[in-house]
Amino acid sequence: MVQSSVLGFPRMGVNRDLKKATESYWGGKISQKELLAEGKRLRGEHWKIQKEAGINIIPSNDFSFYDHVLDHIQLFGAIPEKYSKHNLDPIDEFFAMGRGLQSPQTPEAAAVDVPSLEMVKWFDSNYHYVKPTFQDGQNFKLSSNPKPVAEFLEAKEAGIITRPVLVGPVTFLAIGKADRDQNVVPISLLHKLLPLYEEILVKLKEAGAESVQIDEPCLVLDLPPKVRNAFKPAYEKLSSLGGKIPELVVATYFGDIVHNYDVLPSFSSLHGLHIDLARNPEQLETVIGALGEKQLLSVGVVDGRNIWKANFKKAIETVETVVQKLGKDRVIVASSSSLLHTPHTLASEKKLDEDVKDWFSFAVEKTKELAIIAKAVTDGPASVREELEANAKSMEAKATSKRTNDPKVKERQSKITEEMFNRKSPFPIRIAQQQEKLNLPLFPTTTIGSFPQTKEIRIQRNKLTKSEISEEEYEKFIEREIEDVVKIQEELGLDVYVHGEPERNDMVQYFGERLTGYVFTTHGWVQSYGSRCVRPPIIVGDISRPAPMTVKESKYAASISKKPMKGMLTGPITCLRWSYPRNDIHQSVQAEQLALALRDEVVDLESAGVYVIQVDEPALREGLPLRQGLERDNYLSWAVKSFRLSVAGVQDSTQIHSHFCYSEFQDFFKAIADLDADVLSIENSKSDAKLLKVFVDEAYPRHIGPGVYDIHSPRIPSEDEIKDRIEEMLQYLKPDQLWVDPDCGLKTRQWKETKAALTNMVNAAKFYRQKYSKSS
Ligand SMILES: CN1c2c(nc(N)[nH]c2=O)NC[C@@H]1CNc1ccc(C(=O)N[C@@H](CCC(=O)N[C@@H](CCC(=O)N[C@@H](CCC(=O)O)C(=O)O)C(=O)O)C(=O)O)cc1
Ligand SMILES: N[C@@H](CCS)C(=O)O
Ligand SMILES: [Zn+2]
């Protein structure tokens, strides 16, 4: 029989229940016991959903209260001393690593002030994991009540034998880093870490686990030799434990593994392998050719990264090819990756037009698709005839739908000329004109766009959605918010203001809602990091801008500001990548359509008197194909072009900013430079300032604002801490090219901490302004 398997299930629950529970716990509104009970309830629900859908191999340990990599940091005791020394309760220590902790001294406990660990993108997705951070002389120790075992037993008690999921030892180390000022090479710690994998696997076997899914997604990357060479000995060592441990299924996803196939151990040591066929179907033949005689192959044919219904005909054909070669008992039909990247269920969507709703499939629906495909192959197509017919109908309806095509958009695309990609003059001419117009001081201070999205803002927006207040009332409310934000920036002494983005639910969804070609969900939440979720809009057709999207708010803000007001837009690549893109035309075509829509907006902002315009592209890096090569070059070429197309319509005296909330520029610096933005603001506070060296090596002439403090944590950075960061930056950047700003927008913060942090930031900038104006 062909089995079906899910690699991981979304954690938030049907109504973002996990988000509500964790935030209530952090706010002191529920107890730890209540939080743990909610986690247990959610896990139970999710196992039940999968069981009822007919899934044979159901994952456990895919749940996390914050992030699954952070779970492993705690599981293996890779906890930096700055957290462990406080002897916090394990769950509070866990959250302290995830989001930082600043708590005052009390009669029972000493004060704690720790920043969070660094958080970065999970491969090329919009999910963020907490980066394991290692010390010289790092040791590991298995936690006393290992989570994978506890959750396996919990499911067992509920009558479900699950397949626990572990992040594999090589990936766990390869995605980590040495702590600041430490020199340890993470992969060199493998010999210390492996005994803990042995220990946990033995415990899982004793608890009754028959097999374990070991995620080694780093196999899809170009690996440094030390990491490549680590696989074989690691898995041979584990397999030498034979029957003492469960059978191991190594899971890879988000790419192909053909280039790394030779690093896997002889297949006698692995029970099975999972490959992502949604992304890289062409790897199938090579992988099958290299499989050992008894190994299972788990084929990821239902896409875990999108919301499109699987094409049953195609999927079944693929699985049947595999079955012909391996036999039914050696094949597992699986999601291509964890379903973490998809919303919970389509059943919650009451407002979607029925025609498009029929094209979609969220996590719950994807589990059903897997069971249907497995049944079709096991028992023959007749056993699921109705489902197959309905699926074929829905594929046909989408392919022939009028919704997808807008000839006017196509016509405009055909008329794009080369000069539309270029600003009128080179940077030195532009910056001189901008300086004359804006008259900014040295070390200009600014923020990245959003100010706290308070409960009150969300309540008012919710009332508007439910028609409990009128559009006019809502607009008045937003105007008042903008007035407050402008006044606060005046008081803080910032140099370039923002309007604060109070009218935006999300920096991508907001634009999607104002463009044609998009549809939206009401409950399609997906975890982005920790308790934070996004509701990606869905691109179903050609995109255009029927009317200005942000001009009213920015124009109003500029009209009441004494200092330059920065207009705020989300760039074409970020709009594309943080939406669910169409799967019927190439992403470059969708990006170009978005760029044309944004170009009109940029020009309209300028005409409305907004002379600093920031076009955020935080997803540019994440969209970079995971491996070096032609695919990467092609992506960078169309991605950079779409950014340039979106901004190049303005005068030289209008200053174009772009923002990236990541600091890894080394592998695509040329593309960053090619964007030709006048000012870049980048996330940097958690990174070693050495990374900025690339700007020196490449003689980058334009302006840069590396973030001086982390915005993901409620912690307030001190003025001295910020000065230290600026001092470090000055080792690499010239004083007259340096801006001072936070890592990213402040929407997730409270006002109290925002004001305190920005006061310290402005004071630090003033200190350097004075120091350098004296010396010049
Ligand atoms: C900058 N980042 C972003 C990423 N991706 C995006 N799509 N957007 C981003 O900004 N990726 C990288 C980074 C980091 N990621 C995030 C992601 C998410 C948040 C965040 O704050 N999310 C909010 C939800 C935002 C939103 O859509 N808000 C809506 C709905 C609010 C809501 O929950 N309303 C309630 C009713 C109101 C009430 O009573 O409170 C409801 O619907 O039940 C809105 O504002 O209208 C989150 O809360 O998770 C930040 C950074
Ligand atoms: N302008 C956006 C950028 C986030 S990446 C904000 O400030 O929230
Ligand atoms: Zn950002």
Side-chain angles (χ1 to χ4, degrees):
M1 160 191 167
V2 171
Q3 301 201 79
S4 53
S5 132
V6 168
L7 262 57
F9 199 79
R11 303 154 183 159
M12 283 293 151
V14 67
N15 286 316
R16 284 183 296 164
D17 317 64
L18 182 59
K19 170 192 175 63
K20 290 168 193 164
T22 42
E23 290 180 358
S24 298
Y25 176 67
W26 296 335
K29 293 189 193 118
I30 63 168
S31 66
Q32 185 185 120
K33 201 168 151 212
E34 287 168 303
L35 174 67
L36 298 179
E38 181 63 348
K40 183 172 178 187
R41 185 189 69 79
L42 284 167
R43 290 190 292 272
E45 281 279 310
H46 300 163
W47 289 323
K48 194 164 153 246
I49 288 170
Q50 295 172 78
K51 189 169 180 192
E52 285 175 359
I55 296 295
N56 313 111
I57 304 174
I58 297 172
S60 58
N61 198 41
D62 53 337
F63 176 86
S64 176
F65 278 110
Y66 200 90
D67 162 52
H68 57 284
V69 180
L70 182 55
D71 285 335
H72 287 70
I73 292 174
Q74 198 169 45
L75 175 68
F76 298 129
I79 304 169
E81 202 219 338
K82 61 176 172 245
Y83 305 100
S84 59
K85 72 177 182 194
H86 297 291
N87 293 319
L88 295 168
D89 192 273
I91 189 117
D92 296 326
E93 184 183 65
F94 173 81
F95 288 135
M97 288 190 281
R99 59 194 295 268
L101 179 64
Q102 209 163 33
S103 64
Q105 185 167 358
T106 62
E108 300 83 42
V112 182
D113 182 2
V114 280
S116 59
L117 288 174
E118 190 183 1
M119 192 175 70
V120 282
K121 294 279 174 182
W122 181 240
F123 292 77
D124 58 357
S125 77
N126 193 10
Y127 175 78
H128 304 69
Y129 73 93
V130 177
K131 212 170 174 58
T133 303
F134 304 112
Q135 319 299 320
D136 297 347
Q138 175 77 50
N139 286 311
F140 300 104
K141 185 172 182 297
L142 202 65
S143 65
S144 55
N145 179 22
K147 177 175 174 288
V149 179
E151 288 183 11
F152 175 81
L153 289 172
E154 188 181 302
K156 192 173 166 191
E157 205 166 292
I160 300 177
I161 295 296
T162 54
R163 183 172 75 180
V165 186
L166 296 176
V167 174
V170 181
T171 293
F172 180 71
L173 294 172
I175 62 173
K177 65 169 189 184
D179 209 348
R180 210 175 262 208
D181 304 325
Q182 302 287 294
N183 297 310
V184 61
V185 178
I187 198 65
S188 69
L189 298 168
L190 188 62
H191 68 287
K192 289 190 178 177
L193 183 60
L194 267 186
L196 278 80
Y197 273 85
E198 292 180 23
E199 214 180 317
I200 186 78
L201 287 168
V202 168
K203 283 186 194 293
L204 281 168
K205 176 79 182 187
E206 285 166 1
E210 289 148 17
S211 75
V212 166
Q213 172 186 324
I214 298 213
D215 284 3
E216 290 285 12
C218 82
L219 275 167
V220 307
L221 304 174
D222 293 316
L223 294 173
K226 277 191 183 152
V227 176
R228 264 175 68 78
N229 296 337
F231 273 97
K232 214 170 244 171
Y235 281 91
E236 278 169 2
K237 179 108 198 301
L238 292 180
S239 68
S240 69
L241 295 171
K244 282 199 231 146
I245 63 168
E247 288 165 336
L248 304 182
V249 176
V250 167
T252 66
Y253 37 83
F254 306 153
D256 79 272
I257 57 163
V258 171
H259 57 293
N260 278 329
Y261 208 76
D262 56 319
V263 308
L264 285 172
S266 69
F267 261 82
S268 57
S269 43
L270 291 182
H271 179 63
L273 179 68
H274 170 86
I275 52 172
D276 182 342
L277 292 185
R279 182 81 72 104
N280 288 88
E282 75 290 345
Q283 65 181 318
L284 181 60
E285 219 175 285
T286 316
V287 172
I288 288 188
L291 275 185
E293 269 179 24
K294 290 186 184 155
Q295 271 77 42
L296 304 191
L297 187 64
S298 164
V299 286
V301 289
V302 169
D303 203 324
R305 289 287 295 274
N306 71 22
I307 45 65
W308 302 107
K309 239 179 203 176
N311 181 324
F312 282 172
K313 186 167 175 289
K314 269 200 197 155
I316 291 168
E317 271 167 21
T318 304
V319 180
E320 271 172 349
T321 324
V322 188
V323 167
Q324 271 165 22
K325 300 208 168 126
L326 304 181
K328 285 183 185 169
D329 293 341
R330 285 177 61 200
V331 180
I332 302 171
V333 174
S335 56
S336 64
S337 65
S338 164
L339 299 178
L340 184 64
H341 314 281
T342 61
H344 187 92
T345 178
L346 199 51
S348 302
E349 299 306 324
K350 308 292 182 210
K351 293 196 176 155
L352 276 174
D353 289 347
E354 285 303 319
D355 62 336
V356 285
K357 190 171 174 185
D358 182 50
W359 304 348
F360 303 152
S361 174
F362 295 175
V364 170
E365 293 73 34
K366 281 177 191 274
T367 59
K368 291 181 189 158
E369 290 184 341
L370 287 163
I372 292 167
I373 297 168
K375 189 163 170 50
V377 182
T378 304
D379 301 333
S383 65
V384 283
R385 177 167 297 126
E386 258 177 47
E387 288 87 342
L388 299 194
E389 280 172 7
N391 183 267
K393 248 191 186 166
S394 139
M395 294 296 132
E396 170 71 13
K398 178 165 172 250
T400 53
S401 167
K402 291 216 168 61
R403 256 184 195 266
T404 56
N405 188 29
D406 182 344
K408 279 199 230 98
V409 174
K410 302 272 174 25
E411 198 198 334
R412 191 169 178 207
Q413 284 184 285
S414 73
K415 290 192 175 143
I416 294 172
T417 58
E418 265 317 297
E419 73 237 24
M420 287 170 76
F421 295 99
N422 298 318
R423 297 287 296 272
K424 295 179 178 55
S425 311
F427 175 73
I429 297 179
R430 300 198 306 258
I431 195 76
Q433 291 190 26
Q434 290 161 18
Q435 189 50 20
E436 204 175 306
K437 191 163 198 156
L438 302 172
N439 195 23
L440 296 172
L442 264 184
F443 300 98
T445 52
T446 190
T447 59
I448 306 305
S450 56
F451 271 108
Q453 279 271 335
T454 57
K455 180 101 186 125
E456 184 53 22
I457 295 179
R458 291 198 166 139
I459 288 174
Q460 292 302 322
R461 192 155 39 246
N462 202 23
K463 282 189 179 168
L464 175 71
T465 313
K466 292 186 185 155
S467 301
E468 288 170 14
I469 55 170
S470 67
E471 296 263 348
E472 294 73 47
E473 282 171 302
Y474 179 69
E475 278 168 22
K476 275 278 156 244
F477 169 77
I478 293 296
E479 270 188 10
R480 285 196 300 274
E481 285 292 316
I482 293 174
E483 285 157 17
D484 287 352
V485 161
V486 168
K487 193 158 164 272
I488 290 168
Q489 291 173 96
E490 237 171 69
E491 284 161 8
L492 288 166
L494 286 150
D495 301 305
V496 173
Y497 295 176
V498 295
H499 78 285
E501 305 179 23
E503 77 287 9
R504 302 187 190 176
N505 42 17
D506 172 74
M507 61 183 285
V508 168
Q509 194 189 342
Y510 180 82
F511 287 92
E513 284 167 359
R514 279 151 188 80
L515 293 165
T516 61
Y518 270 95
V519 297
F520 321 95
T521 65
T522 47
H523 292 75
W525 294 100
V526 176
Q527 185 180 13
S528 181
Y529 70 89
S531 69
R532 296 286 169 176
C533 299
V534 292
R535 206 161 16 133
I538 304 172
I539 307 178
V540 295
D542 290 334
I543 299 160
S544 62
R545 185 196 76 144
M549 304 182 281
T550 64
V551 175
K552 191 165 47 149
E553 291 79 7
S554 285
K555 188 175 172 182
Y556 178 66
S559 75
I560 57 167
S561 304
K562 297 190 187 104
K563 295 225 181 131
M565 174 59 60
K566 187 161 62 162
M568 200 58 60
L569 300 174
T570 304
I573 300 301
T574 303
C575 280
L576 177 77
R577 289 205 54 93
W578 290 356
S579 306
Y580 287 112
R582 303 165 63 166
N583 60 356
D584 57 343
I585 59 170
H586 196 268
Q587 294 196 0
S588 59
V589 181
Q590 301 172 63
E592 192 177 81
Q593 294 176 355
L594 283 159
L596 286 171
L598 288 162
R599 183 181 176 94
D600 295 344
E601 188 72 13
V602 169
V603 170
D604 282 352
L605 279 172
E606 184 186 53
S607 307
V610 178
Y611 302 119
V612 183
I613 300 169
Q614 179 174 306
V615 178
D616 294 325
E617 277 297 23
L620 186 70
R621 173 72 178 75
E622 154 199 329
L624 195 65
L626 292 168
R627 297 189 54 213
Q628 304 274 2
L630 198 59
E631 209 193 325
R632 204 177 253 204
D633 298 343
N634 284 343
Y635 164 77
L636 286 175
S637 159
W638 62 258
V640 168
K641 278 179 88 174
S642 60
F643 178 87
R644 292 176 68 120
L645 181 62
S646 67
V647 297
V650 290
Q651 301 301 317
D652 287 341
S653 56
T654 295
Q655 188 166 74
I656 297 292
H657 289 221
S658 189
H659 160 72
F660 312 103
C661 19
Y662 47 81
S663 53
E664 293 149 326
F665 294 103
Q666 294 66 21
D667 47 1
F668 77 130
F669 186 82
K670 193 179 163 305
I672 294 292
D674 281 352
L675 295 176
D676 197 24
D678 299 308
V679 183
L680 298 181
S681 58
I682 60 182
E683 174 178 324
N684 192 67
S685 74
K686 294 259 154 179
S687 320
D688 198 317
K690 276 189 213 121
L691 292 180
L692 297 173
K693 190 166 173 290
V694 66
F695 290 96
V696 184
D697 293 346
E698 304 287 337
Y700 186 79
R702 295 185 275 273
H703 288 194
I704 314 164
V708 292
Y709 76 89
D710 175 32
I711 52 79
H712 291 111
S713 163
R715 186 176 169 273
I716 299 159
S718 68
E719 188 180 320
D720 282 343
E721 217 173 302
I722 298 176
K723 281 185 191 155
D724 289 347
R725 295 306 285 159
I726 299 177
E727 193 68 47
E728 275 178 344
M729 289 165 193
L730 284 168
Q731 291 173 33
Y732 304 100
L733 301 170
K734 295 193 219 78
D736 60 359
Q737 73 177 151
L738 194 58
W739 285 59
V740 179
D741 45 37
D743 268 351
C744 182
L746 298 160
K747 60 189 159 209
T748 58
R749 303 275 49 90
Q750 308 281 326
W751 268 113
K752 194 164 168 258
E753 70 225 24
T754 299
K755 285 184 187 169
L758 289 178
T759 301
N760 293 346
M761 184 186 93
V762 170
N763 286 341
K766 281 185 180 159
F767 171 85
Y768 281 96
R769 191 172 298 158
Q770 223 174 15
K771 180 171 166 188
Y772 279 86
S773 50
K774 267 188 208 147
S775 62
S776 63

